[in-house]
Amino acid sequence: MPNTIYLLIFGMSLLLFYWFFLKPKKAKEVHYLIHKDKHQVLDISNAYDLYEDPKTILVAHFSDTHFRSGHAPKKLNPLIRSTMARKPDIIVFTGDLLANYEHWPHQLTPTLVDKLKHLKAPFGKFAVLGNQDYAGAGQYFVQEVLKEADFTPLVNESLFTNKEDTSIHIVGMDDTILGNPMFDFEKKIANWHLLLVHEADPVEKVKSLLDFDLVLTGHPFKKRRSKKSKAT
């Protein structure tokens, strides 16, 4: 399985839950805690369960699945089991669902939709496109697959979701390599501001970058986390 990262975020502090898939049957799990009012990231891998709280918001993040012939949607099974066991409130996907639409075996499409539907979150599932999703003009197909699986594709769009008294403003950028991304977004009032984009490096061009508490990306693994967390 190609390198993939999965992320969970908890409440007014952020608990980051990463799965680094280095080999099909070998994974490394890492947890980080980010306080909204403090500029620090804590590695709590050995005690992450102590930070779970039913009042917090749990966000699951995965990316770069690169499905293709020989790398079928059943590879999602470990992700589905581990994610649903934690009962996330929100699920986000940051691009490269397929390796190349031009070579996609369409007989696998119903299975792919079914697997993605097994990921459930009461406050929504959101996604952005990656450069591989555009390969072979596949961006329209990928968006339809995501919609059928109850994901909301965000292409230079934003929306709000909330849990009790906590609101989240989610912005999704179009792919910065093959898409037509926007880099200027209007500031909204919310407790948390999340930016979703496939490539990490162009994030520095976002004019309102400092308005976001967390940036979630796919593609190369460097700069995977936001460079800061600030209070509102």
Side-chain angles (χ1 to χ4, degrees):
M1 188 171 187
N3 288 347
T4 308
I5 284 184
Y6 307 117
L7 165 69
L8 298 183
I9 308 169
F10 290 80
M12 296 308 288
S13 293
L14 305 185
L15 180 58
L16 312 186
F17 167 46
Y18 289 91
W19 281 98
F20 294 89
F21 275 89
L22 306 177
K23 295 181 180 180
K25 295 183 179 180
K26 184 177 181 180
K28 181 180 180 181
E29 181 178 333
V30 184
H31 298 252
Y32 294 99
L33 179 69
I34 298 177
H35 290 284
K36 187 174 178 65
D37 59 346
K38 297 179 181 179
H39 296 259
Q40 62 179 347
V41 179
L42 303 177
D43 186 340
I44 58 170
S45 300
N46 295 324
Y48 68 89
D49 55 313
L50 298 179
Y51 295 86
E52 295 183 354
D53 187 329
K55 296 181 180 180
T56 63
I57 292 178
L58 176 61
V59 179
H61 169 221
F62 70 111
S63 185
D64 295 85
T65 47
H66 295 163
F67 291 121
R68 59 192 182 277
S69 179
H71 183 68
K74 66 181 182 180
K75 296 287 186 179
L76 272 179
N77 289 342
L79 167 65
I80 293 169
R81 287 193 295 267
S82 63
T83 300
M84 296 317 300
R86 299 180 184 278
K87 299 180 180 179
D89 297 301
I90 301 170
I91 297 175
V92 299
F93 173 72
T94 52
D96 280 5
L97 183 69
L98 305 183
N100 190 322
Y101 171 69
E102 194 172 7
H103 305 296
W104 170 246
H106 285 273
Q107 68 272 18
L108 294 180
T109 300
T111 302
L112 176 57
V113 171
D114 180 66
K115 293 297 182 184
L116 291 172
K117 275 191 171 182
H118 276 78
L119 292 167
K120 300 182 184 297
F123 300 101
K125 306 190 295 185
F126 311 99
V128 294
L129 299 176
N131 59 303
Q132 294 301 128
D133 295 321
Y134 276 87
Q139 66 270 31
Y140 308 108
F141 173 78
V142 169
Q143 288 185 75
E144 287 305 311
V145 167
L146 290 169
K147 290 176 182 178
E148 286 188 43
D150 303 321
F151 277 80
T152 300
L154 298 175
V155 183
N156 296 326
E157 299 171 279
S158 68
L159 49 76
F160 284 91
T161 189
N162 67 283
K163 179 182 180 181
E164 297 178 353
D165 296 330
T166 301
S167 59
I168 299 179
H169 178 220
I170 304 175
V171 172
M173 285 177 58
D174 197 3
D175 180 67
T176 60
I177 296 177
L178 298 178
N180 185 29
M182 289 175 51
F183 293 96
D184 191 7
F185 299 95
E186 182 181 354
K187 186 175 181 179
K188 304 288 185 178
I189 298 176
N191 299 116
W192 284 102
H193 300 268
L194 271 60
L195 175 62
L196 311 179
V197 59
H198 184 60
E199 291 86 14
D201 291 343
V203 163
E204 297 175 357
K205 298 180 183 179
V206 176
K207 296 179 181 179
S208 56
L209 182 61
L210 294 180
D211 291 335
F212 292 97
D213 299 296
L214 186 69
V215 179
L216 304 180
T217 75
H219 211 55
F221 298 117
K222 63 180 180 178
K223 299 184 181 179
R224 182 68 63 153
R225 297 191 306 275
S226 171
K227 61 183 178 182
K228 61 89 196 180
S229 178
K230 69 175 184 65
T232 56

